[in-house]
Amino acid sequence: MTTRGDTPAITIIGSGFSGLGMAIKLKEAGFHDFVIVEKSSDVGGTWRENTYPGCACDVPSHLYSFSFHLNPHWSRMFSPQEEIWDYLRSCIDTYGLRPHLRFNTAVTALAYDDTAREWRISLASGETLTSKAVVTAAGALHIPKFPKIPGRERFQGTAFHSAQWDHTADLAERRVAVIGTGASAVQFIPRIAPQAASLTVFQRTPPWIHPKPDGDLPQRLFATVPGAARLFRNAIYWALESRGAGFAVDPRLMAPQERLARRHLARQVADPDLRAELTPDYTIGCKRILISNDFYPALQRDNVSLVTDPVAEIRERTIVDAAGREHEVDAIVYGTGFTVTGGLSVPHVTGRGGLRIQEAWKNGVEAYLGVTTSGFPNLFFLLGPNTGLGHNSVVFMIEAQVHYILECLRLLSKTKARGLDVLRSAQDDYNRRLRQRLDHAVWSAGGCRSWYLDRSGVNRSLWPGFSFEYWARTRTVKPSAYELIY
Ligand code: NAP
């Protein structure tokens, strides 16, 4: 039975970095009538869900955090998952968000009511909320992707995905296989390698890997010297941003980064055959550049072997590779990534005139500045289409978007309009220019295939420029790009 529930002016879906950042800034701007609905029982998003051994962010912590909530107590340059999760949980009480949070509340549908000019938000409980505006802050990478390998379901041993780590499974003294060598796998492989009786790593495409400049941080200094944490954060930002030229300007500018990765590989792997197997054949940056000091050493342990032939089949107790070799294993860990959602995790979304979002996006997931999409008034995306980054912190992008959404809400207050809907022409024009830049960028021209590209090979995930350029474009709202609905 459907019951009519609350009517918060704004509903935020998700309580990871995006949802919490939005909530904090809403309060600060004087918008107190909002709710954060969270499908799980705690905040944290990806930092709540990913608990695999070695899980840490590969962006330095002083930058991978809110600019308005600096934390002088990051223990390391790249702090572990528990610390990032704690940081996010600390925001609840610091910013008084508890009364706004509704846990264990999954959204099943969003429908725009043309007459009332508001959103109806259906919850799994059967309840319906109504809101003037909805902010989807669900993240793009949270649905674990399992590979379509024949026989996968026949496997009789332990098997799980890196994002659903089974902490009850004891991998010690077991024969373990890992499928995948992406950002997650390079973090957990060095942790499980010393415990396992044997570890077989199935690599489809080698990643480019840079050294990881990790280490303990001087917490006292950051806590006591005024401005030190801010200065450090800014220095990291500009150091990372300077790497953006190869992405934003010309892939040929990636050359120094490739030299660094080749030197790292040469320094860590002496065996020329293994080195050849670990050398990518695509331009660096085409896939996410990984950082690790312990992945190559882990692969050279006596109990670890690297298989570069594709996985052909999985049987009850073995994995068969394309060369016909059968590898006996007790456990399989899938480090095979995520199904990309474009920032929308709600299955049913209908906008003006009953327009289904799947219909609006039939040619691909698209938005204006990655935040608004035509036909869906007052529906705002955080980390929506083409707002991910290959070279800097996405928290920076989130903050720029939060600011932009606040500007949209202020425009609504000022004009007394009920809603704003981005014009199709403005969205098309924006995306046409975006495509022109993306076609020449390394993610499309670099000779690889990654989750950044959709089925048609179009990059729907990343921002093609410098992050400060995105920041500049999201400072103000152009009223001419929107239809105001009264
Ligand atoms: P991923 O980067 O998509 O890597 C998946 C891995 O699985 C790739 O090596 C892929 O090979 C392999 N794979 C997929 N299907 C396969 C198959 N059928 N047979 C063999 N190998 C297969 O996933 P992820 O490592 O979970 O990372 C996803 C994203 O999450 C990252 O790009 C990053 O944005 C984010 N992440 C960030 C951090 C961080 O520290 N900030 C850490 C972890 C994850 P191919 O390369 O050939 O496709």
Side-chain angles (χ1 to χ4, degrees):
M1 195 187 73
T2 303
T3 55
R4 195 148 174 98
D6 297 340
T7 56
I10 301 160
T11 295
I12 301 170
I13 304 171
S15 65
F17 260 108
S18 305
L20 294 176
M22 185 76 238
I24 294 165
K25 287 291 163 181
L26 274 177
K27 277 193 84 154
E28 221 174 83
F31 294 93
H32 295 284
D33 186 13
F34 67 88
V35 65
I36 313 167
V37 289
E38 167 55 57
K39 67 175 164 39
S40 171
S41 57
D42 205 343
V43 302
T46 198
W47 300 105
R48 179 196 63 238
E49 290 193 3
N50 283 274
T51 61
Y52 57 79
C55 184
C57 187
D58 58 12
V59 176
S61 302
H62 273 264
L63 183 62
Y64 192 80
S65 44
F66 293 125
S67 63
F68 50 84
H69 186 52
L70 300 187
N71 172 19
H73 299 294
W74 291 117
S75 66
R76 304 185 64 75
M77 188 74 169
F78 300 91
S79 301
Q81 169 259 338
E82 298 88 350
E83 261 184 62
I84 305 173
W85 190 20
D86 281 349
Y87 169 85
L88 289 172
R89 278 189 292 196
S90 77
C91 290
I92 302 178
D93 291 327
T94 306
Y95 295 98
L97 300 181
R98 207 167 287 283
H100 299 272
L101 278 158
R102 281 186 64 168
F103 292 118
N104 304 307
T105 305
V107 176
T108 54
L110 294 174
Y112 186 70
D113 182 332
D114 286 293
T115 314
R117 287 159 169 37
E118 61 190 15
W119 282 95
R120 278 186 283 112
I121 301 137
S122 306
L123 307 180
S125 60
E127 197 185 341
T128 306
L129 308 179
T130 55
S131 283
K132 276 193 207 134
V134 175
V135 179
T136 118
L141 301 173
H142 52 90
I143 304 170
K145 189 164 149 191
F146 288 90
K148 291 193 184 78
I149 298 171
R152 192 173 69 76
E153 62 296 334
R154 273 166 54 197
F155 186 65
Q156 297 290 308
T158 304
F160 53 86
H161 190 278
S162 62
Q164 299 165 329
W165 198 271
D166 181 354
H167 291 278
T168 64
D170 187 8
L171 302 180
E173 300 306 320
R174 311 286 297 281
R175 294 166 302 179
V176 182
V178 171
I179 300 181
T181 50
S184 304
V186 302
Q187 292 183 339
F188 67 75
I189 284 172
R191 297 302 178 95
I192 59 176
Q195 306 166 15
S198 68
L199 178 64
T200 311
V201 177
F202 291 85
Q203 170 191 274
R204 187 165 66 181
T205 315
W208 283 108
I209 303 182
H210 277 172
K212 185 173 185 176
D214 204 1
D216 293 339
L217 290 177
Q219 298 178 45
R220 261 180 70 125
L221 180 124
F222 289 130
T224 53
V225 178
R230 176 76 56 196
L231 195 68
F232 190 52
R233 178 188 172 92
N234 291 346
I236 297 167
Y237 174 81
W238 289 109
L240 293 186
E241 198 63 358
S242 69
R243 300 190 330 182
F247 294 108
V249 183
D250 191 318
R252 280 173 296 188
L253 297 172
M254 304 298 287
Q257 301 203 45
E258 184 172 320
R259 278 198 296 276
L260 177 63
R262 282 188 190 277
R263 269 205 308 274
H264 185 48
L265 178 62
R267 218 175 279 140
Q268 290 206 320
V269 180
D271 175 3
D273 293 335
L274 179 61
R275 208 189 297 156
E277 289 181 319
L278 292 170
T279 305
D281 62 0
Y282 54 86
T283 310
I284 192 167
C286 186
K287 287 172 183 280
R288 188 176 180 84
I289 302 170
L290 308 185
I291 51 169
S292 174
N293 299 333
D294 50 9
F295 176 64
Y296 292 142
L299 292 182
Q300 294 166 85
R301 291 175 59 92
D302 289 342
N303 66 333
V304 177
S305 49
L306 180 73
V307 178
T308 54
D309 292 308
V311 178
E313 186 189 346
I314 297 179
R315 297 184 181 156
E316 282 77 3
R317 289 275 164 201
T318 59
I319 297 181
V320 186
D321 68 33
R325 281 175 304 167
E326 202 165 352
H327 307 264
E328 287 188 19
V329 291
D330 305 309
I332 303 176
V333 184
Y334 293 95
T336 43
F338 301 86
T339 300
V340 183
T341 63
L344 188 66
S345 63
V346 180
H348 304 286
V349 181
T350 49
R352 292 173 90 177
L355 175 66
R356 290 172 59 242
I357 204 149
Q358 286 86 352
E359 181 58 25
W361 283 350
K362 64 178 187 296
N363 296 324
V365 174
E366 239 175 47
Y368 175 71
L369 289 170
V371 179
T372 51
T373 196
S374 185
F376 298 82
N378 295 3
L379 176 63
F380 301 103
F381 294 87
L382 287 172
L383 288 188
N386 291 106
T387 61
L389 290 178
H391 69 285
N392 213 322
S393 169
V394 287
V395 181
F396 179 87
M397 299 298 270
I398 291 169
E399 286 193 36
Q401 296 177 336
V402 163
H403 172 87
Y404 184 79
I405 295 170
L406 284 170
E407 288 297 295
C408 289
L409 297 175
R410 289 190 184 109
L411 181 66
L412 287 174
S413 301
K414 204 167 84 188
T415 57
K416 306 265 186 295
R418 296 277 299 175
L420 48 80
D421 188 9
V422 65
L423 296 174
R424 186 79 230 181
S425 54
Q427 183 175 318
D428 286 349
D429 192 42
Y430 169 81
N431 279 283
R432 203 172 22 252
R433 287 159 199 259
L434 206 64
R435 295 277 92 79
Q436 281 166 2
R437 293 176 73 176
L438 283 165
D439 284 350
H440 305 289
V442 66
W443 308 292
S444 299
C448 83
R449 179 98 215 160
S450 74
W451 64 262
Y452 300 148
L453 311 182
D454 69 7
R455 279 203 196 104
S456 319
V458 179
N459 188 336
R460 304 274 176 194
S461 306
L462 297 188
W463 169 249
F466 290 103
S467 63
F468 58 76
E469 189 189 335
Y470 184 81
W471 177 88
R473 295 184 69 170
T474 46
R475 287 296 86 194
T476 52
V477 178
K478 270 194 206 148
S480 61
Y482 286 92
E483 174 193 347
L484 291 174
I485 303 167
Y486 289 91

